[in-house]
Amino acid sequence: MAVMLVLAVVMSWILGWANVAFHVEVDPKIVEISELLPGANCGACGFAGCNEYAVQLVEGTATLGACTQCSKEKNQAIAQVLGVTAGETLPFKAVVHCSAHIGQRLNRREYTGEPTCAAANLVSGIQGCTYGCLGLGDCSRACPHGAIRVTDGLASVRYDLCVGCKACETVCPRNIITIVPFKKSRILVVACSNKDFGPDVKAVCPVGCVGCSGCSRRDTSFQMTGYLPQIDYDHFGSEEDHLTTLEKCPAQVLIYVGEPSAEDIAATQDETLASVVQADFKTTVDETKWRN
């Protein structure tokens, strides 16, 4: 007991000395900003975690507003700590660039392999459109906030839960999910990723973009990349500014996504929601009949 007591005293003294000798001074601004950040360590800001982002903000090598989970009030508080003026920060959320459900995917064949998009994407001939959503739920399982669900083989985003963490964008093997800035609660998106020309698109998908370029001729917010339009959200205006473009789209692939308006809620309040498709985590090995 006496030996243990002496050892405890000696070790306590050593630890106390080490705490003073090897103490690293931390800028109090870093500590204060770290407490303001959400602590999710999602990496959407481009850094390893929230603490690293706080360090880079103080050192001036990071951009204020890069955190997709920080509210406008949080960014203003961080700007006050840094002694700068907070500019306009927009929320970033996920967008799925596909609108075809299972019944609308032509030339579709039965797939009995590993039930993941990553595995199915390696197999040719699953469906005619090689750009469209595979609907096996990799994005849904990757989302830490439960913001993506798969209904009738098509991924959709719950914008009340989405924080733009990029987990879904990273895991999608077909790169049909992107993170875009939401200037308003609803924004217009191109719900197609098929880069082929009209007849080839219609041969595999009845709701695909035909590449007519009519949207880019009518609206400066649209730019054609090959046969597929892209939206420049820096020039994206109000819904009234894009009504003509929306009405004239022959394929109707330009749709609004985001939080519904009061009119939308009133119009659909009596509708019954479809059940959510749940992934069945089985492999071909599970169906094997073993002998002996």
Side-chain angles (χ1 to χ4, degrees):
M1 291 178 62
V3 171
M4 294 298 294
L5 180 60
V6 171
L7 287 175
V9 172
V10 172
M11 292 303 296
S12 299
W13 180 86
I14 293 175
L15 289 173
W17 168 80
N19 185 51
V20 175
F22 299 104
H23 177 70
V24 178
E25 290 292 338
V26 178
D27 192 325
K29 290 183 179 180
I30 296 176
V31 178
E32 194 170 352
I33 292 175
S34 295
E35 293 175 351
L36 290 170
L37 293 173
N41 297 320
C42 63
C45 60
F47 298 97
C50 292
N51 186 70
E52 177 64 19
Y53 178 50
V55 172
Q56 299 302 323
L57 279 173
V58 173
E59 293 181 355
T61 56
T63 303
L64 180 61
C67 177
T68 59
Q69 301 191 39
C70 283
S71 62
K72 181 179 180 181
E73 292 74 18
K74 288 284 187 181
N75 281 319
Q76 288 176 345
I78 293 173
Q80 188 174 2
V81 174
L82 294 173
V84 298
T85 302
E88 183 185 12
T89 56
L90 299 174
F92 282 77
K93 296 181 183 294
V95 167
V96 180
H97 296 280
C98 182
S99 60
H101 293 275
I102 289 181
Q104 297 169 315
R105 298 174 193 168
L106 307 181
N107 304 329
R108 185 174 175 83
R109 295 176 177 85
E110 183 182 4
Y111 172 70
T112 58
E114 189 74 17
T116 64
C117 298
N121 191 48
L122 300 176
V123 181
S124 63
I126 293 178
Q127 58 192 31
C129 180
T130 58
Y131 302 93
C133 178
L134 290 164
L136 295 175
D138 287 17
C139 52
S140 179
R141 292 187 289 273
C143 180
H145 305 282
I148 294 190
R149 60 185 178 184
V150 178
T151 305
D152 194 19
L154 179 65
S156 60
V157 182
R158 288 191 56 183
Y159 288 98
D160 57 330
L161 300 177
C162 180
V163 298
C165 68
K166 297 184 180 181
C168 57
E169 181 187 43
T170 303
V171 79
C172 179
R174 293 198 164 177
N175 300 315
I176 64 170
I177 302 178
T178 59
I179 308 299
V180 301
F182 273 57
K183 287 187 175 181
K184 300 181 181 297
S185 59
R186 297 202 316 162
I187 63 168
L188 194 63
V189 301
V190 180
C192 182
S193 298
N194 198 315
K195 298 179 177 61
D196 298 333
F197 189 51
D200 297 327
V201 175
K202 288 303 181 183
V204 296
C205 180
V207 294
C209 177
V210 296
C212 66
S213 71
C215 53
S216 62
R217 293 195 301 268
R218 297 185 184 93
D219 198 325
T220 57
S221 298
F222 291 82
Q223 299 174 353
M224 296 299 296
T225 304
Y227 297 118
L228 191 66
Q230 304 288 336
I231 299 178
D232 182 4
Y233 289 102
D234 290 335
H235 298 91
F236 184 77
S238 63
E239 294 188 15
E240 291 75 15
D241 297 336
H242 311 286
L243 283 177
T244 304
T245 306
L246 192 64
E247 293 172 355
K248 296 294 184 180
C249 177
Q252 299 297 305
V253 295
L254 303 179
I255 62 174
Y256 276 99
V257 299
E259 298 178 6
S261 63
E263 292 77 11
D264 296 330
I265 296 174
T268 59
Q269 61 181 354
D270 297 328
E271 293 186 7
T272 303
L273 293 178
S275 58
V276 178
V277 177
Q278 300 293 337
D280 185 10
F281 293 95
K282 292 195 301 182
T283 68
T284 52
V285 176
D286 296 321
E287 302 297 332
T288 304
K289 295 181 179 180
W290 300 98
R291 299 179 181 177
N292 300 327

